[in-house]
Amino acid sequence: MASGRDIHSASSQPGSAPEPIQFPSEQLFRAVVESSPNGVVMVDAAGEIVLVNRETERLFGYSRDELLGKSIDLLVPHRFSDRHPEFRATFHANPQSRSMGAGRDLFGLRKDGSEVPVEIGLNPIETGGKLFVLASVVDISARKRAEARFRVAVEASPHGMMMVDPAGRIVLVNREIERLFGYPREELLGQLIELLVPSQVRDRHPALRSDFEANPQRRAMGAGRDLYGRRKDGAEIPVEIGLNPIETDEGLFVLASVVDIAPRKKADEELRRSNDELERFAYVASHDLQEPLRTVTSYLQLLSRRYQKQLGGDAAEFIDIAINGAGRMQRLITDLLAFSRVGTRGGALEPTDAGAVFEKTLDALQAAIDDARATVTAEELPMVLADQGQLGQVFANFIGNALKFHGPEPVCVHVNARRAGRFWTFSIRDNGIGIEPQYFERIFVIFQRLHGRDEYPGTGIGLAVCKKIVERHGGRVWIESSPGHGATFFFTIPCVPD
Amino acid sequence: MTPSASKPFEILLVEDNPADVRLTLEALEEAGVPHHLHVASDGVEAMAFLKTGGAARPRPDIVLLDLNLPKKDGREVLQEMKDDDVLRHIPVIILTTSQADLDVARCYQLRANAFITKPVDLDNFFGVVRAINDFWLRSARLWRG
């Protein structure tokens, strides 16, 4: 390899070098140095710059002529320049290729007085008995900017973010983590992540970390379990944690996002409480409403029983209308009670033979089925996870619905079930009058009716109860239909877990 | 008919709803059994009636007892009566709006003599009161001490 002095002499300062040595590869070498994306600076033993390339000119804002022959200290910020000769001496005492200022942030001083963040690699080159240092200087301001943006983004994230190194030590946290766990960041950095794990799982946590390491993929932590973090004050807080593996040449880092779900838990609890209250209210109200209603009905009947003959001609009719009204209210209240009981009086969800429940329902409905001259058939039905009584209610309401809304032909109802993931989808197909799509949602709302009371009796509770029961099981109900072409009701019920 | 049947039956009705009191009274009138109807509108009043005695508070031949009552509810009244050596023999007919299996089981456990859910329909209600009359007052022989 040619000496630096020769190169720079040949390229920049012809004449100042006594004997330019021509290597066949010199042209090539010069081109390589010139076009290097890194700044290249060669310095002699006295610290004098003997070679620079184009990137160095760009990086520091000096032209080549302004640099050659000057001390390298020209490019060192004043706050470091005091110690720089000392560093150079150290290097010369033990010259070997290495990066400069390991662990420290390095800056270069530009001609305009501004500083630029750099990374510097040092290579000793000995030629002609003299020691030169070839420094390659990389402008890392773009990376620093990206890092700064990353830091700002991480810092500003409404979620807690932290990074853990392969040994399980915390290397990065943001403000939200500080707030969540109540530690200032200097008390977290360098600590094992187990510091933030509640004591009852702390012992198991390193094993869980190894599991993640064995199969690193982006996922939620502790799926299906409630997770808690341990605050500095010892309190445990409910959290949701997302894990993102980050492969680096130093090993597997994990970026974890931690969400404080205490507010959500609180909202859930409030919702549950208010639902419970509402159900209790409906139950109590309907119970207490029954009594005055019974009084109204009873006394109207007593009136009719004792005094009908003494009252005028329309009296009987008026009394009948009033009694009918009270009777209707009675049914509404009974239905409301049944509706509220879905939530308050539901049993546990247990492995249940849907086929047996269906047969039992059929027996109970036999009279109504015979009256309607209907045929009700079913495929083989599976075991499901259900409240047996409520599943029977769902079958009864859907079949009852089909019997009621029949078309001109004899009623045919067919029940089927298909597995779809963790659920079974049941279908109940009829050949009745069908429903227009704009009513698909409405039919499942309590006391919503699509037909006049004279056409079809009922309060409009059956399908609402079905929906409530199915939703209590974690499933959903829907309908496919068109007017005149029958309807198929669908509902999902969870499978029995393996 | 018991030999002392000429003496009107003393009936204690424990019921807080005046409309139901009146209705029961009407039904008893229609049933045509000579009787005196005494009314207690809560459990405390009922126990006072049963325990104090005196001319105005004759020992009832039969008690018609509602379950949901102010102050002391029907289940407590039933229990106290059946725990009492003197009152234990008086037939207690539970007459309530409750249809709950739990209430039925509980009341028989506490030795109620019958559990009747008040029918909603007037004719049926009158029928029930007539049936109570026919069985307990006309057919059964009561211990009138």
Side-chain angles (χ1 to χ4, degrees):
Chain A
M1 194 185 225
S3 83
R5 184 170 285 281
D6 292 339
I7 300 287
H8 98 74
S9 304
S11 61
S12 311
Q13 288 192 320
S16 75
E19 290 170 19
I21 305 159
Q22 292 294 321
F23 287 96
S25 61
E26 187 187 332
Q27 290 283 341
L28 177 64
F29 178 74
R30 208 171 358 159
V32 167
V33 169
E34 262 317 293
S35 62
S36 164
N38 298 348
V40 175
V41 183
M42 191 140 141
V43 182
D44 67 14
E48 198 171 292
I49 299 170
V50 296
L51 175 149
V52 296
N53 71 347
R54 191 163 31 201
E55 172 62 8
T56 305
E57 292 179 296
R58 188 200 67 77
L59 195 53
F60 291 94
Y62 288 102
S63 74
R64 206 168 293 237
D65 293 342
E66 293 173 299
L67 288 173
L68 292 171
K70 301 281 170 39
S71 164
I72 188 65
D73 290 336
L74 181 67
L75 304 180
V76 178
H78 301 309
R79 57 198 157 107
F80 304 118
S81 52
D82 284 356
R83 301 195 59 198
H84 196 247
E86 180 193 329
F87 287 140
R88 273 196 291 119
T90 313
F91 183 79
H92 280 270
N94 180 22
Q96 50 179 305
S97 290
R98 61 171 177 84
S99 56
M100 181 169 150
R104 284 180 295 124
D105 284 341
L106 298 180
F107 296 89
L109 181 62
R110 297 166 54 95
K111 185 179 179 184
D112 63 11
S114 65
E115 292 185 10
V116 54
V118 290
E119 239 171 43
I120 302 176
L122 301 175
N123 304 281
I125 293 174
E126 217 179 328
T127 176
K130 290 190 206 162
L131 184 70
F132 294 87
V133 179
L134 183 68
S136 100
V137 184
V138 182
D139 176 1
I140 58 168
S141 49
R143 193 206 303 168
K144 285 276 172 192
R145 269 199 303 276
E147 269 177 27
R149 267 201 298 272
F150 173 74
R151 223 183 292 272
V152 167
V154 165
E155 200 56 32
S157 165
H159 297 171
M161 305 275 272
M162 59 180 153
M163 185 124 89
V164 176
D165 74 8
R169 294 195 181 277
I170 301 167
V171 295
L172 178 150
V173 298
N174 69 351
R175 194 165 24 202
E176 176 64 5
I177 290 283
E178 292 180 294
R179 187 193 71 76
L180 262 177
F181 291 95
Y183 285 99
R185 73 184 63 195
E186 52 284 7
E187 288 180 28
L188 290 174
L189 295 174
Q191 298 297 316
L192 283 174
I193 185 67
E194 276 73 27
L195 178 68
L196 304 179
V197 177
S199 47
Q200 64 268 30
V201 269
R202 191 173 295 161
D203 293 348
R204 279 184 286 132
H205 195 258
L208 295 171
R209 272 199 284 118
S210 316
D211 290 350
F212 184 78
E213 217 174 313
N215 180 23
Q217 50 181 309
R218 198 190 147 99
R219 62 171 175 83
M221 183 170 149
R225 283 180 295 125
D226 282 345
L227 295 181
Y228 292 88
R230 187 177 190 280
R231 288 175 50 87
K232 187 179 181 183
D233 60 17
E236 290 182 9
I237 45 167
V239 289
E240 229 170 53
I241 301 178
L243 300 176
N244 302 275
I246 296 175
E247 302 272 7
T248 74
D249 44 7
E250 293 166 79
L252 182 75
F253 283 66
V254 179
L255 181 66
S257 78
V258 184
V259 184
D260 176 8
I261 59 170
R264 194 201 306 164
K265 282 228 158 186
K266 202 166 153 230
D268 281 355
E269 235 156 65
E270 259 158 33
L271 188 66
R272 199 173 316 124
R273 196 166 42 238
S274 100
N275 274 341
D276 286 352
E277 252 165 38
L278 203 63
E279 274 177 359
R280 258 199 303 281
F281 172 79
Y283 182 78
V284 169
S286 40
H287 231 232
D288 291 353
L289 284 173
Q290 301 261 30
E291 193 153 288
L293 201 56
R294 219 167 36 78
T295 303
V296 169
T297 309
S298 300
Y299 279 84
L300 280 168
Q301 286 175 327
L302 190 58
L303 192 64
S304 146
R305 187 185 175 109
R306 297 251 172 103
Y307 305 103
Q308 190 157 355
K309 288 196 191 100
Q310 283 141 275
L311 296 169
D314 291 334
E317 192 191 341
F318 294 169
I319 289 173
D320 267 358
I321 292 170
I323 289 175
N324 281 342
R328 182 166 163 70
M329 181 143 173
Q330 179 86 40
R331 280 191 300 280
L332 284 169
I333 291 171
T334 310
D335 287 349
L336 193 61
L337 198 57
F339 188 73
S340 80
R341 275 181 179 151
V342 170
T344 55
R345 298 291 167 92
L349 307 191
E350 293 166 335
T352 299
D353 182 352
V357 172
F358 174 76
E359 290 301 329
K360 218 165 117 187
T361 308
L362 227 48
D363 285 347
L365 289 175
Q366 202 52 55
I369 292 170
D370 291 345
D371 281 352
R373 278 191 274 278
T375 319
V376 183
T377 53
E379 313 277 316
E380 196 179 326
L381 299 178
M383 292 291 294
V384 291
L385 198 65
D387 173 334
Q388 185 174 325
Q390 292 193 335
L391 181 61
Q393 245 179 301
V394 170
F395 281 134
N397 281 334
F398 278 131
I399 294 168
N401 196 72
L403 297 180
K404 194 198 282 187
F405 298 100
H406 60 79
E409 291 133 47
V411 183
C412 284
V413 184
H414 187 70
V415 180
N416 197 0
R418 266 180 226 296
R419 176 99 185 224
R422 293 187 300 110
F423 284 83
W424 284 94
T425 302
F426 288 79
S427 62
I428 291 141
R429 196 182 66 227
D430 67 44
N431 60 343
I433 57 174
I435 294 173
E436 290 180 49
Q438 73 250 40
Y439 300 124
F440 282 2
E441 299 288 329
R442 212 171 123 184
I443 55 169
F444 292 108
V445 177
I446 187 168
F447 298 150
Q448 288 287 336
R449 300 163 42 84
L450 300 183
H451 303 276
R453 268 177 236 152
D454 305 338
E455 292 175 83
Y456 296 97
T459 56
I461 187 81
L463 297 181
V465 166
C466 286
K467 180 169 194 268
K468 201 170 176 204
I469 289 176
V470 169
E471 285 176 355
R472 185 184 161 241
H473 285 71
R476 57 192 197 95
V477 290
W478 71 99
I479 179 179
E480 287 172 8
S481 176
S482 59
H485 294 92
T488 306
F489 285 94
F490 297 90
F491 66 94
T492 60
I493 293 283
C495 302
V496 179
D498 303 323
Chain B
M1 267 261 208
T2 58
S4 50
S6 53
K7 204 172 120 194
F9 287 101
E10 304 294 338
I11 301 172
L12 174 62
L13 173 64
V14 190
E15 167 66 68
D16 65 323
N17 179 353
D20 276 6
V21 170
R22 179 63 194 265
L23 217 52
T24 309
L25 184 68
E26 295 295 333
L28 285 169
E29 295 289 340
E30 282 202 7
V33 179
H35 67 273
H36 292 139
L37 184 69
H38 308 274
V39 179
S41 57
D42 63 59
V44 172
E45 214 178 287
M47 287 316 296
F49 183 96
L50 289 164
K51 294 229 163 172
T52 317
R57 295 163 163 177
R59 173 143 314 141
D61 295 302
I62 190 167
V63 174
L64 304 179
L65 180 63
D66 192 7
L67 284 184
N68 297 319
L69 295 167
K71 294 183 195 168
K72 180 180 281 186
D73 81 359
R75 299 159 193 87
E76 291 171 87
V77 172
L78 176 61
Q79 178 151 28
E80 285 180 33
M81 282 185 71
K82 294 302 179 183
D83 282 350
D84 186 303
D85 290 341
V86 182
L87 302 175
R88 182 181 293 154
H89 69 275
I90 303 173
V92 178
I93 315 300
I94 305 297
L95 198 55
T96 175
T97 48
S98 169
Q99 304 182 22
D101 289 345
L102 202 70
D103 280 335
V104 178
R106 180 88 198 284
C107 286
Y108 281 116
Q109 223 151 35
L110 294 173
R111 311 218 189 296
N113 297 77
F115 187 105
I116 298 171
T117 299
K118 285 179 197 169
V120 174
D121 182 80
L122 183 82
D123 288 340
N124 295 339
F125 180 73
F126 275 37
V128 158
V129 173
R130 203 180 315 119
I132 292 173
N133 260 301
D134 288 348
F135 181 76
W136 289 103
L137 304 185
R138 284 187 204 276
S139 313
R141 181 166 167 190
L142 302 176
W143 172 246
R144 308 189 76 182

